[in-house]
Amino acid sequence: MLKANKITKVYNTVEGKNIVLDGIDFHGNCGELCMIFGKSGCGKSTFLNVLSCLDTFDSGTLEINGKFVNDMSRTDICNMRRSDIAFIFQGYNLISSMTAIENVQLGLKYRKIGRKQRNEMAKKALEQVGLSHRINYLPHHLSGGQQQRVAIARALVLSPKILFCDEPTGNLDKESSEMVMENINNLKQNGTLVIMITHDRSMLNLADRIFTLSDGKIIEQ
């Protein structure tokens, strides 16, 4: 479903070239939870951004659902992200002026789904994460765990083929973290490929496969 081959990412700095990703290979399949593990600053977030097409790469190939990203236009990449990909970020990335249900509906709006159907789908997704009583709350009226559950509902409602998670439990307490991971696992059980970055060793037992990243290279799989 997703294959990366010899991916390289280089930043030019005043001190010279900084090779953030150094010829990385990666592959993930439907219904898998793949964790990218490593210390802060090892290139995890950059790698996730490249795999999810939020960032470009300098060399190598990236194949998603049988299509080579190298050969796709920016419009094609945007359309693929809207139709096949969802994200859960550590910082929630909710729009502060929108209620919970409006935040969840946003991706459906981009897919040109009608208002009535969007509303029904968003309500169902918020029920799945235990927030049916908070659908009209703004983000600043919700706890951190509740905001992250809204972010998960926003991903759930899209039924994505691939879900990218950037430290989704990093700011949460144990109870909230367990609930977040339960919802992510439900997506995986329904066939979604989940790619998650973490520096927390306690999360690794949940993974189907682990890719350990150090100094821009996969040193263990």
Side-chain angles (χ1 to χ4, degrees):
M1 171 171 274
L2 187 150
K3 296 179 182 178
N5 184 47
K6 305 299 180 187
I7 292 291
T8 299
K9 178 72 175 179
V10 180
Y11 290 112
N12 292 312
T13 70
V14 292
E15 298 176 350
K17 290 186 176 181
N18 179 18
I19 302 175
V20 182
L21 305 176
D22 190 5
I24 294 182
D25 295 330
F26 175 94
H27 69 278
N29 301 308
C30 299
E32 283 188 333
L33 171 53
C34 298
M35 286 197 181
I36 302 171
F37 174 74
K39 297 178 181 178
S40 296
C42 71
K44 299 189 305 296
S45 292
T46 299
F47 191 38
L48 193 79
N49 289 340
V50 166
L51 292 180
S52 62
C53 301
L54 289 177
D55 199 359
T56 59
F57 50 95
D58 294 298
S59 64
T61 59
L62 176 60
E63 182 182 354
I64 300 177
N65 295 331
K67 298 179 180 178
F68 282 94
V69 173
N70 308 57
D71 300 329
M72 298 172 69
S73 67
R74 295 180 75 176
T75 299
D76 290 338
I77 291 172
C78 287
N79 290 336
M80 178 183 65
R81 284 206 304 261
R82 288 177 180 174
S83 63
D84 296 343
I85 292 173
F87 303 88
I88 300 174
F89 300 99
Q90 182 177 357
Y92 320 136
N93 282 26
L94 302 178
I95 297 177
S96 60
S97 60
M98 289 185 172
T99 63
I101 194 167
E102 289 170 339
N103 269 282
V104 174
Q105 287 181 16
L106 193 58
L108 299 172
K109 188 175 182 180
Y110 289 135
R111 290 187 179 181
K112 303 187 185 305
I113 293 174
R115 181 180 298 178
K116 183 178 180 180
Q117 187 178 358
R118 289 201 309 266
N119 192 58
E120 291 173 353
M121 292 171 70
K123 280 184 178 180
K124 184 178 179 180
L126 286 165
E127 287 173 6
Q128 287 180 269
V129 299
L131 287 178
S132 57
H133 60 308
R134 294 285 190 270
I135 64 173
N136 293 315
Y137 280 51
L138 292 170
H140 67 273
H141 291 143
L142 300 172
S143 68
Q146 289 172 336
Q147 290 185 61
Q148 191 63 300
R149 279 189 273 161
V150 173
I152 289 173
R154 184 177 56 189
L156 281 171
V157 79
L158 297 173
S159 298
K161 294 179 181 177
I162 306 174
L163 174 65
F164 293 96
C165 305
D166 187 353
E167 303 276 8
T169 61
N171 294 328
L172 305 181
D173 58 37
K174 182 179 179 182
E175 183 178 354
S176 296
S177 295
E178 289 175 350
M179 182 172 289
V180 165
M181 290 309 302
E182 180 181 353
N183 283 284
I184 288 174
N185 189 60
N186 288 338
L187 271 178
K188 188 198 85 162
Q189 296 295 331
N190 288 325
T192 297
L193 165 61
V194 181
I195 301 174
M196 178 185 301
I197 63 174
T198 185
H199 65 269
D200 184 353
R201 288 187 179 275
S202 67
M203 302 287 289
L204 300 182
N205 66 315
L206 302 174
D208 295 300
R209 285 188 293 129
I210 302 163
F211 297 81
T212 303
L213 191 64
S214 178
D215 295 326
K217 294 184 178 181
I218 298 289
I219 59 172
E220 184 180 2
Q221 178 180 335

